[in-house]
Amino acid sequence: MEALVNRQQDLFLALYRIVLGLLFACHGAATLFGVLGGPQGEAPAFAEWPGWWAALIELVAGGMVLLGVAARAAAVICSGTMAYAYFVVHQPQALFPIENGGEKAALFCWGFLLIAVLGPGRWALSLLRAPQASLASPQPDQPSTGLPRPS
């Protein structure tokens, strides 16, 4: 099993990116358009800070991560948005996420940070423009990422 995971590490990273981006985009769509069960809590008014803008970031940047378009930059924005949500909305209520209801914000924050650091993996639309830039097979003249190379 470990050999399979090592060989397909980039594939599993791509699947993780796709699921994470989809879930995040769904939160934004639910808040902005009242679909998928509607917003969690009261829907923010148009351009209301921070709820409406956070939902817009969730929808747009989450969609970018899902598709693998500028995924690293979008993931940094998503991670920062969730860090802001955690520290401004949840953390003042209690220290730990389990106490303050900030589990989703913390998980999304760290999940997107992982995508920002490791990259989009396979199946990213941005790789269609530059297939030689694939993380799965670095070129000999490129520095190593420090990750084990697939065998």
Side-chain angles (χ1 to χ4, degrees), residues 9-10 12-18 20-21 65 71-80 82 105-121 135 147:
Q9 181 177 3
D10 206 37
F12 290 119
L13 177 61
L15 291 172
Y16 177 77
R17 170 187 53 81
I18 290 166
L20 192 68
V65 170
R72 285 182 189 244
V76 167
I77 292 168
C78 293
S79 180
M82 289 296 97
L107 286 170
F108 273 127
C109 178
W110 287 100
F112 282 115
L113 186 60
L114 184 68
I115 299 295
V117 170
L118 297 180
L135 293 177
L147 298 173

Side-chain angles (χ1 to χ4, degrees), residues 77-88:
I77 292 168
C78 293
S79 180
T81 300
M82 289 296 97
Y84 177 88
Y86 181 78
F87 286 110
V88 172

Side-chain angles (χ1 to χ4, degrees), residues 10-84:
D10 206 37
L11 173 65
F12 290 119
L13 177 61
L15 291 172
Y16 177 77
R17 170 187 53 81
I18 290 166
V19 170
L20 192 68
L22 175 65
L23 293 174
F24 205 59
C26 285
H27 274 279
T31 302
L32 291 174
F33 306 117
V35 297
L36 305 170
Q40 297 176 353
E42 190 174 325
F46 178 76
E48 181 182 1
W49 178 260
W52 188 87
W53 293 101
L56 184 65
I57 290 170
E58 289 170 357
L59 180 62
V60 174
M64 291 173 68
V65 170
L66 165 68
L67 297 172
V69 176
R72 285 182 189 244
V76 167
I77 292 168
C78 293
S79 180
T81 300
M82 289 296 97
Y84 177 88

